[in-house]
Amino acid sequence: MGAYEDKRETCGTICMKYLLFTFNFLFWLAGGGVMAVGVWTLVEKSAYISLLPSKTYAASAYILVLAGAIVMVTGVLGCCATFKEQRRMLRVYFVLLLCIFLLEVLAGVLAYIYYQQLNKELKTSLRDTMMQKYHQSDQEHVTWAVDKLQQEFMCCGSNSSSDWAQSKYILSFNAMSRVVPDSCCKTYTEGCGNRDHPSNIYKVEGGCITKLENFILDHLKIIGAVGVGIACVQVIGMVFTCGLYRSLKADPL
């Protein structure tokens, strides 16, 4: 009877080991994907981050990068702990999984919170940013971000092209009789902002606010879904880890 129980325990341990190893391999790949989403958000879309007064959007992306890096390291540790069958390593692995779980949930919660307040924030901040900071000294990053926004999303002004009439830049000598920045033009050329006509200037209903809001909302959905999705998967990993931990004998002193 005792031999049968030992054999059953051995079979269960082996199955648990391979399940946990498979999970760790997939987990390691998922970590790379999570980190890639965070890095892509920060590198490719950093221009638009500078137009937002709140740092919540950037914080969510940074958390994903950190969590993804830890996931990849943890995946390797999990494989080692699984095949060496060391309970101490499994304890460390479980704690790391729990920390990553909390990080991923935090990224998802931040994305959800910012999702709720984004519209109000953009309405109160984007127009002021364009009017007060565009083409001003020490605000080159804002100027570049606004030009990129208007060209990439084919829009002009915060709510409409008429917003630019009150901007510091357009009212200054540096504008050289422009009525809108050149980045508002459908065909970008030096000085094209002198002619405010629908054939020359983007006349988009809702202006750049609507375009930027939709863009960021889509990315917040991705950040939130990735964070919560990986967190849910980690629950499975923690269950497997507990199962293997209980099936192993205590480490020798």
Side-chain angles (χ1 to χ4, degrees), residues 17-207:
K17 279 175 60 177
Y18 281 99
L19 281 172
L20 191 54
F21 176 79
T22 302
F23 168 81
N24 277 307
F25 177 71
L26 296 175
F27 192 50
W28 184 83
L29 292 177
V34 168
M35 191 162 58
V37 170
V39 170
W40 174 70
T41 300
L42 292 171
V43 174
E44 292 294 324
K45 308 305 173 185
S46 59
Y48 304 133
I49 293 175
S50 67
L51 297 176
L52 304 172
S54 171
K55 302 302 179 185
T56 309
Y57 180 62
S60 299
Y62 279 117
I63 289 173
L64 284 186
V65 173
L66 176 62
I70 297 175
V71 163
M72 297 188 77
V73 174
T74 303
V76 175
L77 175 63
C79 290
C80 294
T82 301
F83 279 101
K84 289 187 177 182
E85 298 186 6
Q86 293 185 358
R87 286 162 64 97
R88 282 190 291 267
M89 289 183 70
L90 283 173
R91 284 196 294 268
V92 173
Y93 174 64
F94 181 87
V95 170
L96 285 174
L97 277 181
L98 183 60
C99 290
I100 298 166
F101 173 82
L102 295 175
L103 278 175
E104 299 286 6
V105 170
L106 177 60
V109 169
L110 284 176
Y112 177 77
I113 292 173
Y114 195 55
Y115 186 94
Q116 302 300 313
Q117 69 184 49
L118 179 62
N119 181 268
K120 181 178 179 181
E121 181 177 286
L122 281 179
K123 284 182 178 178
T124 58
S125 68
L126 185 59
R127 187 177 186 279
D128 288 342
T129 298
M130 287 181 164
M131 299 304 101
Q132 302 299 321
K133 297 182 179 180
Y134 183 80
H135 235 289
Q136 303 302 303
S137 58
D138 300 325
Q139 297 294 335
E140 291 82 4
H141 64 292
V142 172
T143 302
W144 179 74
V146 171
D147 285 339
K148 180 178 173 64
L149 174 68
Q150 295 189 142
Q151 280 289 294
E152 188 168 313
F153 291 123
M154 295 181 284
C155 58
C156 183
S158 177
N159 295 292
S160 68
S161 59
S162 60
D163 290 340
W164 285 109
Q166 302 301 318
S167 78
K168 285 185 176 181
Y169 168 63
I170 294 301
L171 294 174
S172 70
F173 175 78
N174 292 331
M176 301 179 67
S177 301
R178 288 179 176 85
V179 290
V180 293
D182 292 341
S183 56
C184 281
C185 299
K186 294 179 179 179
T187 302
Y188 184 91
T189 56
E190 185 69 25
C192 65
N194 290 337
R195 192 167 70 92
D196 183 13
H197 191 272
S199 63
N200 182 51
I201 302 298
Y202 291 118
K203 300 284 187 179
V204 180
E205 185 178 349

